[in-house]
Amino acid sequence: MTHDCSFLEDLDVAVSFEEGDRTDHSADWGTEGSDRAVVPDAVVRPETTEEVSRVLAAADERGVPVTPYAAGTSLEGNAVPAHAGVSMNLMEMNEVLDVRPDDFQIDVQPGVMGSAVNEAVEGHGLFFPPLPSSGNLSTIGGMIANAASGMQTVKYGEVGDWVLELEAVLADGSVVKAGSKAVKTSSGYDLKHLLVGSEGTLGVVTRATLELEGLPEQIRGGRAIFPTLEDAAEAVFDAVRSGVDVAKIELIDGTSAEIANAYLDTGLPDAPMTFIEFHANHGIEEEIDFCKAIFESHDVQRFEMAEEEDMDTLWQSRKELAFALRAWDPDLEPLQPGDVTVPISKLPEIIAYAKDLEAEYGIPVPCFGHAGDGNVHYTALVEKGNPEARKAGKEVYTRVVEKAIEFGGTATGEHGIGLGKREYMDLEHGEASVEAMRRVKRALDPNDTLNPGKIFPETADGERMRTAEADD
Amino acid sequence: MTHDCSFLEDLDVAVSFEEGDRTDHSADWGTEGSDRAVVPDAVVRPETTEEVSRVLAAADERGVPVTPYAAGTSLEGNAVPAHAGVSMNLMEMNEVLDVRPDDFQIDVQPGVMGSAVNEAVEGHGLFFPPLPSSGNLSTIGGMIANAASGMQTVKYGEVGDWVLELEAVLADGSVVKAGSKAVKTSSGYDLKHLLVGSEGTLGVVTRATLELEGLPEQIRGGRAIFPTLEDAAEAVFDAVRSGVDVAKIELIDGTSAEIANAYLDTGLPDAPMTFIEFHANHGIEEEIDFCKAIFESHDVQRFEMAEEEDMDTLWQSRKELAFALRAWDPDLEPLQPGDVTVPISKLPEIIAYAKDLEAEYGIPVPCFGHAGDGNVHYTALVEKGNPEARKAGKEVYTRVVEKAIEFGGTATGEHGIGLGKREYMDLEHGEASVEAMRRVKRALDPNDTLNPGKIFPETADGERMRTAEADD
């Protein structure tokens, strides 16, 4: 599966064939140390759109795969160069190109970190609301590629909702502009949203114009503890249904609470908790009281709110959960985290279903996530080196995905498909829809140059998805 | 350009070859009585997705064009069967299929009117916020096809932002599902947004799941009158930049005011006006005061607000403007209305530019529209039967479009491309982007069956855009 990449040396673009560098580009967070990692044949580091174009045109001509890579924080192998070839590292393109505070707009290159966007605009009283939790470690290009979202999506929407215009390079090296700097347009096909979430399989984003929001004048947040998981899930559902204006509403189940409490020595009960944050320009107390009244009707046991500067302590169990999960029991390892999302009315049911499986399989399955969007993360904790336990954990994972799809939801709210969720594409979308996506892919990338092996269900022979013409 | 459509008789679908019926499907609002109207060879009225699929599969096989048609309220010839063939009238598919108030969701067929959505959900305290001004006369399918938006887009976004899931039939008759009933997803390519705004050239929407919003508890609105157009435009820009939470913010220039005042006998000064509406659950007075303070810093002369039930009187000059324009001067006729949209900081400049052209050409060019989005409608009023005046009016139209694109904006904020704006596609998007759109079109509709002759710049020979294979 290796490819001759010596042509890169003639392109006047920074290129590396060094083994350590190549190995560093073999995996993302979700595939590190796994058998899904693939070492690319070369790593290029373009600095301009023109260089991206030059590499793509040359690789496309030679049938050599190119997989974009940035911070590598994706969780589904999205950035793994599955068919080897070139890993295109975009971290050198990390400039903030322009800030237009009057238009609430910023132009950035793809390698700019999420936190850097906020730093660039906070002096203007602005921020970029839809950042994922990994926002200080991940790039805008990666977020766009993976259709990321985050804790504040419940109020502000997804990353893709805040992208106005993109410049991207297609597989053949042509440079396209998608979207508009106007806040609305009905001109032609929406190539912008087609690129968002395409995981680098349709184009490489080289510039993004993002929309910004005014910083709220009031921020408060805190924690609520419930007697049962059902109470907590119903409370979240009721708050969303009632139109409480929350900026974040997270939920963790009792298993997660137990793990976080032990890791942080919080002294809190091992009970289901929600974490909330409110943003307003005035009248924030009224929203908090509204929320509290709803939570009280679901038997909330503690409802603690703090000013912005003191919120972190109350949020600790949620914020440290990912680390706590890894440190929990040296004999257990967390499997691939699930990322299902369902219509909000099904939130209590999908969580109850996961907990039923926890009992049925006798495997801890902590559940947590962006409950206000109906987004549930869950991870089976299985005995290390026990293939039976692994298999059971994987079964739990799959059954929750299938149930979410049955509820009209999605296998993945925010992590993308990558390598990890290809097998659920047909079930979620139906074969005709996946075939339509395939036709779009073939139209824009007939040689399957860009990030081959992703999103689409695996081909029978594991080969790339090239058109007949390209195979000749 | 006529096609043999007798095959429709064997499909067990309601079909009409009657001349009056066909003529009724030859134009939309924007092309009625013009030389751009084209009479289709047949009209079909499918009642189910299966019937839509059957017609498309049969027509596609025979190379017969099919152009979807609903209420016909589009303004750019979007629904004109430009290459004749079949007009597919979707008004029989007009059922509300399901309302799920707990999820803020409604499932509708494409022929459901915008106002019918609101009627179906208001008992649950919900509404569909992004309706265009024509919402009581136009259908959800048409709004989706044309990427419509409206007065409330400044607060709530465009129609496409409120579409969660679509069922659509592609040219070959295959039925796809796009999007998800979950509020967010990162699963596969975003076919949903690809269909939104594709003007029936990629698929026929047969079912839509729309998201809804809770009705605000407080609604107030009114009118503000300014001494100069510059003051009015700067006031709108300043209000948006300052983050005033308006649900509507419309502007009309002095020319428009003069026309509306004469038509309605308002007794108001012929001065630039803005029309505003506020939605809130609490604290609406604070927002109104905030807005008033900003308007006062731009020398507002009158600032009048009313409760919801009394707002209409204050809004009259805006709401009746379209009728007033037609009735203004029997010797003048309004040309095609422009629909440019620019970044909000450029709003004062684009309006000033249009007014400069008004002076330069000596043609009245009333400007109005959804100013809070940077969206300006304008229409040259030219002497009837005077080709020179028509030509000058068209020049004004084009120069404003070119300036908007120069400002990073779009030729069309909400009316779509249709027949009327094809010539600006390359300028706005660049040839490589338009070519990428063309590749998508060919991938999903290789025979150019669906609504041929739209969106893309006219081919040199006026022929359909069929692939080589299809031409054989």
Side-chain angles (χ1 to χ4, degrees), chain B residues 29 68-74 79 88-95 108-117 128 130-149 159 163 205 208 210:
Chain B
W29 278 9
Y69 199 98
T73 56
S74 51
M88 180 180 276
N89 182 315
L90 292 149
M91 298 301 279
E92 300 299 315
M93 293 181 72
N94 59 7
E95 269 179 59
V108 297
Q109 289 187 312
V112 167
M113 309 301 284
S115 47
V117 170
F128 184 61
L131 283 188
S133 305
S134 65
N136 56 338
L137 299 170
S138 57
T139 64
I140 295 296
M143 294 175 206
I144 291 170
N146 291 317
S149 52
V159 166
V163 175
V205 169
L210 308 176

Side-chain angles (χ1 to χ4, degrees), chain B residues 392-441:
Chain B
K394 170 80 197 202
E395 244 175 75
V396 170
Y397 179 94
T398 295
R399 286 179 66 183
V400 175
V401 168
E402 288 168 352
K403 182 58 78 177
I405 291 172
E406 185 190 319
F407 283 159
T410 177
T412 181
E414 54 182 18
H415 296 167
I417 297 296
L419 292 165
K421 300 206 196 85
R422 290 174 297 165
E423 61 192 285
Y424 309 113
M425 283 293 286
D426 283 341
L427 182 67
E428 176 169 346
H429 299 280
E431 283 179 32
S433 304
V434 176
E435 182 53 30
M437 294 180 198
R438 213 177 264 117
R439 283 154 79 177
V440 170
K441 165 71 173 173

